[in-house]
Amino acid sequence: MKLLRRTRGHRASASASGLVAVAALLASGTASAAPDAGIKASTLGAQAAQSGRYFGTAVAAGKLGDGTYATILDREFNMVTPENEMKWDTTERTRGSFDFAPADQIVAHATAHGQRVRGHTLVWHSQLPGWVGSITDANTLRGVMNNHITTEMAHFKGKVYAWDVVNEAFADGSSGAHRASVFQNLLGDGFVEQAFRTARSADPAAKLCYNDYNIEDWNAAKTQGVYRMVRDFKSRGVPIDCVGFQAHFGTGGPPASFQTTLSNFAALGVDVQITELDIAQASTTAYANTIRACWNVARCNGVTVWGIRDSDSWRSGDNPLLFDRNGAKKAAYNSVLTTMGGAPAATTGTADTAALPGSYSWSSSGVLMSPKPDSTHSIAGLKDPSVVYYNGKYHVFASVASASGYGLVYLNFTDWSQAASATHYYLDRTPIGSGYRAAPQVFYFAPQKLWYLVYQTGNASYSTNSDISNPNGWSAPRNFYASMPDVIKQNIGSGYWVDMWVICDSGNCYLFSSDDNGHLYRSQTTLASFPNGFANTVIAAQDSNKYALFEASNVYKVQGSSQYLLLVEAIGSDGRRYFRSWASSGLAGSWTALAASEANPFARASNVAFPGGSWTKDISHGEMVRAGYDQTLTIPSCRLQYLYQGKDPNAGGDYNTLPWRLGLLTQTNSAC
Ligand code: XIL
């Protein structure tokens, strides 16, 4: 956003070649090597997402500190299953005393990296502490089982996408019956139903799965036994949402009937998932056959491999995984990626795994949010939105502008259709206070378990809050800088210091800002020092045509890839606002043009369809709807959504009184 009045009708020509690279930055005039909108991603998670699926792995808490392991995990996977940390012998080793610390570590890592979590597992005869196996009374066991399910699910409520409620209840061999276990022996077949009913009340939002091995062959008695149980549950309304096929295969891979099995289960009205895939010797054909069986079944919504490198596998002697001991991709990896429709990265190793296309098209909503003036706030424009989806709600922070200046407003709603009716809370009534506050950015800083609201006050300022939904919880403003950094003073000319933006990787946080004079600045501090210590301010990008690199920069991490996305708002040759985009493999650059010209813009009226009527010609200051909500600012790799400000094309006059309104762009050129 800009602080003061602008006249419309700038004759600015914002060509991609106008961007002058500085310091160590690459010249950005070259076209991006990013894949086209057919979208062949080069990582497992990003490619699975193209069809709305996930690609996951089992994770061991003790390995998160291993750099090679964590790098592959965060580059390739968008779902994680704790390999052992959520099992009974870890979480309730002695009766009534719960330890979630190892699992919490995995969940925190996943949250920080935009990965979802499968909970594994609540009721299982194995890795069960001795005290449970020693119970001899049915009522005691029922109480213990229900308490275990309820306590564990309550602890992880809202953080687990799907639970393996019951694991491996069926016997191998020809009986098609349940296996013996303390649960079966004391409670009978009904223990499974009991467990699912308890689980549904513990966390109604989590998907509830039954998980087992050797149920991939449609002709196996065990498969038939599980099928009869799921059919019975569905017919009687016992809550079950999914069936997990472990898929621990021998060298030949899946049985020929695997796809039939998946589709027959799916036809009962449950999702099906491959939950623990590993294949002895990892033949490319065996892996391809497994993935194909899933991709051919609409309700097969994800695959999880049981570990990252062969050396991480519980069957490491079989070399059954997709990465070798050194973390290099095996042939099976490429086979899986191409079977999903992806393309192996052109170069191996740490090269850029690009996930975003090089051109964009969008569909826009109509006006979703307008100013709601009250007796003490007379407002012309609702601007500069920041948005996170958290705890079942969209939380939006925005600037409110009027002839007398700028302030901040907060609103939340469960669905975009509810946005217009949301209550607007004016943050000048909170400790944030009144006076010049504008262009907010909100995120959760996971290391401190605190929400941050970053905004401009003339300096770069922030407030913190432990509860994003409580507007009164924000602290009074503090400044990131003692004063304007010298490099900005030297380059700002007659511009304004605006649009502060914070994003962190695993080691550092970066603060970007603009000067309405053709410069994008970047300061840096460590993750451990944040919010203090921002220094080393440099020009991250500049353009001799200030309108081509004007303001409202956004920087994001693209989920499941090593790509970062930079957006900067420009003023086009028609005087209208639009966004240009660049990509990089690191937050310190270098930035390579992605869709960065008026002819091939990231988002401009020319690549946006307005099914409900063209209410704006400006696509101006806004934010992407993120995949997560933490300081990594992770966005999905496809079906992007961008919340922006637009205005009546005929409106004119003083910049601060322009009638800005908020609308939502949804990407239309992605495959998912
Ligand atoms: C395995 C783990 O990978 C090992 O680390 C552990 O020692 C034993 O359990 N079926 C399951 C998984 O549901 O939980 C098992 O995981 C593999 C078989």
Side-chain angles (χ1 to χ4, degrees):
M1 66 144 285
K2 297 183 292 16
L3 175 56
L4 296 175
R5 166 199 189 122
R6 295 277 162 216
T7 49
R8 293 194 296 115
H10 294 291
R11 288 281 139 196
S13 90
S15 66
S17 58
L19 186 79
V20 177
V22 292
L25 301 179
L26 275 190
S28 64
T30 48
S32 157
D36 285 325
I39 309 194
K40 289 181 175 299
S42 57
T43 63
L44 301 171
Q47 184 56 37
Q50 299 297 327
S51 65
R53 295 180 171 88
Y54 63 81
F55 209 101
T57 179
V59 166
K63 291 179 180 157
L64 290 172
D66 170 339
T68 308
Y69 183 86
T71 301
I72 302 172
L73 169 61
D74 299 335
R75 186 188 67 212
E76 299 287 343
F77 299 99
N78 50 18
M79 182 75 78
V80 302
T81 306
E83 186 173 0
N84 291 297
E85 292 77 352
M86 288 183 170
K87 293 173 182 174
W88 201 315
D89 63 355
T90 298
T91 55
E92 194 186 5
R93 176 168 281 284
T94 54
R95 185 169 174 179
S97 153
F98 287 86
D99 179 6
F100 297 118
D104 282 344
Q105 228 187 306
I106 296 177
V107 171
H109 183 99
T111 309
H113 295 88
Q115 296 150 331
R116 289 183 295 167
V117 177
R118 290 192 85 263
H120 175 79
T121 174
L122 296 165
V123 179
W124 187 25
H125 66 275
S126 185
Q127 293 182 270
L128 187 67
W131 67 268
V132 184
S134 312
I135 293 173
T136 53
D137 170 65
N139 284 335
T140 305
L141 182 64
R142 193 177 298 109
V144 158
M145 181 181 84
N146 288 337
N147 181 54
H148 182 77
I149 294 171
T150 305
T151 308
E152 183 157 351
M153 288 184 75
H155 180 81
F156 294 109
K157 199 167 182 170
K159 297 176 176 166
V160 168
Y161 156 73
W163 277 101
D164 290 333
V165 178
V166 176
N167 197 32
E168 303 182 354
F170 279 75
D172 292 313
S174 57
S175 73
H178 285 191
R179 72 165 70 233
S181 72
V182 68
F183 303 106
Q184 181 69 25
N185 300 351
L186 293 186
L187 304 176
D189 282 0
F191 88 86
V192 181
E193 172 170 350
Q194 172 80 71
F196 274 84
R197 290 192 186 278
T198 304
R200 182 65 99 220
S201 10
D203 183 357
K207 288 191 181 293
L208 307 181
C209 305
Y210 176 79
N211 192 54
D212 214 330
Y213 67 93
N214 278 354
I215 59 167
E216 293 83 10
D217 180 354
W218 179 242
N219 304 308
K222 189 173 176 182
T223 309
Q224 292 299 312
V226 175
Y227 179 82
R228 281 193 296 273
M229 179 188 76
V230 176
R231 187 175 59 191
D232 170 53
F233 278 15
K234 292 304 284 185
S235 73
R236 291 189 297 112
V238 179
I240 184 167
D241 307 305
C242 36
V243 175
F245 297 79
Q246 291 185 9
H248 295 294
F249 292 135
T251 50
S257 60
F258 188 28
Q259 186 180 316
T260 303
T261 305
L262 292 174
S263 57
N264 286 349
F265 272 88
L268 294 175
V270 288
D271 288 342
V272 290
Q273 301 166 354
I274 296 176
T275 51
E276 303 181 15
L277 179 62
D278 49 18
I279 306 179
Q281 306 316 330
S283 104
T284 51
T285 322
Y287 262 106
N289 289 345
T290 309
I291 299 302
R292 199 173 303 113
C294 178
W295 257 241
N296 284 342
V297 175
R299 286 199 79 157
C300 185
N301 63 337
V303 173
T304 296
V305 287
W306 206 241
I308 296 178
R309 300 160 300 195
D310 285 334
S311 47
D312 302 316
S313 172
W314 71 312
R315 328 163 45 184
S316 59
D318 289 338
N319 298 318
L321 295 175
L322 302 178
F323 296 86
D324 70 17
R325 269 145 228 277
N326 299 319
K329 295 168 181 173
K330 294 165 59 178
Y333 171 96
N334 285 341
S335 171
V336 166
L337 187 65
T338 51
T339 304
M340 292 191 292
T347 47
T348 52
T350 58
D352 194 6
T353 52
L356 291 176
S359 64
Y360 293 82
S361 54
W362 308 89
S363 177
S364 178
S365 70
V367 172
L368 294 179
M369 287 165 260
S370 302
K372 291 192 178 175
D374 64 17
S375 55
T376 53
H377 299 87
S378 99
I379 290 157
L382 183 64
K383 297 171 51 59
D384 316 324
S386 180
V387 57
V388 285
Y389 187 75
Y390 171 74
N391 211 5
K393 284 184 173 164
Y394 292 97
H395 301 262
V396 172
F397 295 80
S399 308
V400 285
S402 67
S404 59
Y406 285 85
L408 299 175
V409 68
Y410 164 70
L411 54 151
N412 70 44
F413 45 85
T414 52
D415 188 87
W416 295 107
S417 64
Q418 306 295 309
S421 53
T423 302
H424 290 203
Y425 298 92
Y426 290 103
L427 298 181
D428 57 359
R429 297 191 173 127
T430 76
I432 288 178
S434 57
Y436 172 33
R437 283 118 177 76
Q441 182 210 10
V442 70
F443 59 87
Y444 183 70
F445 190 68
Q448 295 168 1
K449 297 191 164 57
L450 265 187
W451 292 93
Y452 275 76
L453 191 66
V454 173
Y455 47 93
Q456 69 197 42
T457 56
N459 201 315
S461 302
Y462 66 92
S463 295
T464 61
N465 192 342
S466 58
D467 176 5
I468 190 175
S469 65
N470 173 19
N472 290 312
W474 291 106
S475 61
R478 286 174 197 222
N479 293 336
F480 284 111
Y481 301 99
S483 61
M484 185 187 282
D486 286 344
V487 63
I488 305 184
K489 281 185 195 149
Q490 288 151 13
N491 289 281
I492 191 167
S494 56
Y496 304 98
W497 191 24
V498 295
D499 300 332
M500 288 71 183
W501 182 272
V502 170
I503 179 172
C504 310
D505 58 24
S506 55
N508 295 299
C509 294
Y510 300 84
L511 203 172
F512 290 86
S513 59
S514 296
D515 66 1
D516 284 2
N517 195 37
H519 306 97
L520 176 70
Y521 302 101
R522 186 189 73 236
S523 309
Q524 190 172 333
T525 189
T526 62
L527 195 71
S529 306
F530 180 83
N532 302 312
F534 273 111
N536 299 325
T537 307
V538 297
I539 297 176
Q542 66 182 331
D543 198 304
S544 52
N545 168 13
K546 67 181 181 183
Y547 301 116
L549 199 78
F550 202 60
E551 57 184 3
S553 72
N554 296 185
V555 188
Y556 301 100
K557 173 75 169 58
V558 182
Q559 187 171 42
S561 85
S562 61
Q563 204 174 34
Y564 289 88
L565 173 70
L566 164 67
L567 306 178
V568 183
E569 182 176 344
I571 302 175
S573 50
D574 55 358
R576 301 293 179 181
R577 303 299 186 110
Y578 74 105
F579 279 96
R580 305 173 64 202
S581 60
W582 293 264
S584 173
S585 56
L587 284 168
S590 54
W591 296 102
T592 303
L594 194 60
S597 64
E598 285 197 38
N600 180 30
F602 182 75
R604 187 173 185 242
S606 55
N607 67 347
V608 176
F610 289 90
S614 175
W615 62 275
T616 177
K617 289 193 169 127
D618 292 278
I619 308 293
S620 181
H621 195 141
E623 253 189 41
M624 206 76 88
V625 179
R626 298 170 220 161
Y629 47 83
D630 72 3
Q631 74 283 350
T632 63
L633 308 188
T634 303
I635 58 167
S637 56
C638 84
R639 200 169 178 275
L640 301 176
Q641 291 197 298
Y642 196 81
L643 184 64
Y644 72 101
Q645 63 177 26
K647 62 172 165 57
D648 177 352
N650 300 315
D654 183 77
Y655 183 82
N656 289 2
T657 62
L658 290 173
W660 295 102
R661 305 287 181 260
L662 305 184
L664 182 71
L665 301 179
T666 300
Q667 189 191 358
T668 50
N669 69 324
S670 65
C672 65

